[in-house]
Each structure stands twice: as C-alpha cells, then as structure tokens.
C-alpha cells in the first residue's frame, strides 16, 4: 500500500464546511495522506452512562481538515480514494429522543459500547458481526455560506453512506480553489438508513489519496467502487425529492457522459440499477440522503468519460 506523505492529527478539525475556509495544509494531486479522526462525540462518550443529554451537542461530528488540494478549481472534481480505514477498539451507538423510526419504542436515552477487534464488532455476549469501516462525513467548501458538519448537500458533508468505505473513491464537485476537503464521523459499521441516527461511532486513522478531474463534475457527490457508481442527493425532510434527484443525477451522467437517450437511461436504471436511502433517521434535525446505484458496464464503465 502507498505510504503517506502527509499526516494530519485529529486536533486539526472543523465543525462546518465554510465557503471562506482556509486550509490547515495544502497537498498536491496524487498525494497520500494519513488522517486521524475523532469519533463523532469527540471523545465525550466513555461508558454507557454517557447518554445524549449528558454530552455537548455542539461538539458532534468534527471533520479532520481542512485540506487544500493544489490545482483543484471550481468546475473540477476532487476525487478522494479511501485506501484504508482503521477504527479504534471502542465505539458507541445511541438511542436519541426524537430521532428515528422506532424511537416511540424506546423508554429512555440509551448508549451501548461496542468493541472492535480483528475485524469483528461485538455488541454484547450474543451479538457480533463483521466490521465494515466507513466515513459518514466527507465534503468540501460549499458554493456559499457555512454548513454544519451535521448536514449534507451538494458539497458532501454528512452523507452517512456506508458505501464510502475502504477502496471507494468519492467524487466531490469543487466550488472554490483548493476545494478544502474535510473528513470525519468514522463508523466501524453502519446500515442503510442509519435509523437510530448513529452507526458504531468510533475514532481511528485512515489513508486517503487525492486526485483532480479537470473541467468536469457532477451536481452532487458520486461514490465509485470496483463494480458500480452511486449518485446522491439530499433533502432536509422530503424523501420523494431526495430519491427523485438521485435518479436525475444518475440519468444525467448516463446521458451527458455515455450517450444514453433520456428514455434509455430511465429504463436502464429501472432494470439494472438500485435506488435506496443512505440515511433517513427521521423525525430528526438531519437530512434525507438518497442513493442510486449504477452498475459499471461496457456502455458506462464509470461516472465520467475521462
């Protein structure tokens, strides 16, 4: 595996994606960077007694960075490959009043500590499962304003898509010179929907590689894996809007990059694609994050024609 040329500790972090953000470090295209991240609670949860009402919610979802990438300019794509993600040994999940589809069944705020060892997550003496580490927060400076790392949008942010794991490349539209990348909210595991509002929240380290695709970008972040690419869209509270926009983004790439007709793209996505939700722990103050999987075929071997 490539060796890191730059290291950034977890104390270099942000709480928002800001159009005026200055980077803490500038890197070159092709650089491999080792980053350290806090868990989403910034170290506040140490035991199952540390339930949500006992922590400072202003210290949630820090993202390590910001990292300026030389040569990334508005209209380009910043491509971030997650070479490796190494979670720590202890993580936590919570039931949070007002959050998630099953919160009406919960009697009180609850925290569970999870243990991670040798690629296995242990919840209790009966339940364990394979770790699948990923990042919930990955994004760049937005076109305008200052957006909390708790929220998601065209800039990325709190996408909470478990496809953003080891080996994936996340393609982010660039709005400002240098892009100003920040990453955090590591999970040892997280399911589609993240229905209680948390994955296995954990700190750790990761190796990432940054590249730039010049003069080409999607309207929303796109995640690429070995056999598929995934378009995204978000809405503050409307599932239908998020799902529709994720489909529109997939269709646009097929039409603009690979010469599909609008009708063929529509039918292809229906017969070969998969539409779903990455995050939807509503009711909550977060976002709906929708995802459309597009299989890589000879007709469309990637999100972009390079």
């Amino acid at each position: 595996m490539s060796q890191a040329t730059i290291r950034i500790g977890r104390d270099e972090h942000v709480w928002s994606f800001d159009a005026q953000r200055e980077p803490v470090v500038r890197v070159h295209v092709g650089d491999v960077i080792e980053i350290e991240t806090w868990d989403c609670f910034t170290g506040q949860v140490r035991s199952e007694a540390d339930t949500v009402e006992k922590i400072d919610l202003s210290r949630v979802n820090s993202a390590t960075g910001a990292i300026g990438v030389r040569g990334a300019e508005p209209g380009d794509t910043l491509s971030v490959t997650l070479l490796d993600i190494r979670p720590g040994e202890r993580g936590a999940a919570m039931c949070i009043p007002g959050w998630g589809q099953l919160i009406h069944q919960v009697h009180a705020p609850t925290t569970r500590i999870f243990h991670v060892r040798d690629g296995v997550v242990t919840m209790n003496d009966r339940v364990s499962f394979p770790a699948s580490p990923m990042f919930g927060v990955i994004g760049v400076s937005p076109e305008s304003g200052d957006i909390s790392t708790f929220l998601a949008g065209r800039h990325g942010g709190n996408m909470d898509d478990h496809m953003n794991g080891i080996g994936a490349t996340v393609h982010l539209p660039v709005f400002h010179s240098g892009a100003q990348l920040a990453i955090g909210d590591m999970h040892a595991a997280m399911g589609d929907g993240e229905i209680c509002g948390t994955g296995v929240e954990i700190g750790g380290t990761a190796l990432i590689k940054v590249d730039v695709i010049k003069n080409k970008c999607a309207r929303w972040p796109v995640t690429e894996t070995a056999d598929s690419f995934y378009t995204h869209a978000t809405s503050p509270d409307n599932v239908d809007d998020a799902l529709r926009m994720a489909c529109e983004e997939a269709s646009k790439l097929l039409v603009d990059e690979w010469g599909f007709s609008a009708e063929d793209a529509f039918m292809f996505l229906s017969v070969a694609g998969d539409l779903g939700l990455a995050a939807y722990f509503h009711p909550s103050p977060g976002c709906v994050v929708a995802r459309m999987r597009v299989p890589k075929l000879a007709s469309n071997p990637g999100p972009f024609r390079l």
Side-chain angles (χ1 to χ4, degrees), residues 9 59 62 97 126 137 220:
R59 296 174 58 207
S62 68
R126 297 177 56 245
V137 173
W220 298 82

Side-chain angles (χ1 to χ4, degrees), residues 20-38:
Q20 304 301 316
R21 178 76 61 196
E22 288 295 322
V24 297
V25 65
R26 288 181 171 86
V27 303
H28 293 90
V29 168
D31 278 349
V32 174
I33 308 155
E34 182 179 71
I35 61 171
E36 180 185 33
T37 65
W38 284 103

Side-chain angles (χ1 to χ4, degrees), residues 72-174:
E73 298 293 339
D76 295 343
T77 292
L78 178 66
S79 299
V80 183
T81 300
L82 305 173
L83 299 174
D84 195 17
I85 303 173
R86 303 185 292 259
E89 295 183 348
R90 284 167 53 88
M94 284 185 175
C95 295
I96 301 171
W99 288 25
Q101 290 85 347
L102 301 179
I103 195 60
H104 60 285
Q105 299 180 4
V106 174
H107 302 296
T110 306
T111 296
R112 291 284 182 264
I113 299 298
F114 292 69
H115 299 272
V116 182
R117 185 174 181 179
D118 298 330
V120 176
V121 179
T122 299
M123 181 175 181
N124 54 41
D125 58 3
R126 297 177 56 245
V127 179
S128 61
F129 47 89
S132 184
M134 47 79 66
F135 281 110
V137 173
I138 178 169
V140 296
S141 287
E143 191 168 10
S144 62
D146 186 355
I147 302 175
S148 165
T149 51
F150 188 76
L151 302 176
R154 294 184 186 273
H155 68 291
N158 194 25
M159 296 168 64
D160 275 328
D161 185 350
H162 71 76
M163 300 312 302
N164 294 338
I166 297 171
T169 297
V170 184
H171 301 288
L172 297 158
V174 176

Side-chain angles (χ1 to χ4, degrees), residues 7 35 37 47 65 67 115 119 153 155 183-184 202 205 285 302 305:
R7 291 174 172 81
I35 61 171
T37 65
S47 75
I67 302 167
H115 299 272
H155 68 291
I183 301 178
I202 201 163
T205 60
R305 184 187 293 273

Side-chain angles (χ1 to χ4, degrees), residues 18 22 51 78 101 104 112 127 185 214 224 274 297:
D18 183 351
E22 288 295 322
T51 49
L78 178 66
Q101 290 85 347
H104 60 285
R112 291 284 182 264
V127 179
D185 190 26
K214 296 298 295 180
E224 183 175 0
D274 294 295
L297 303 174

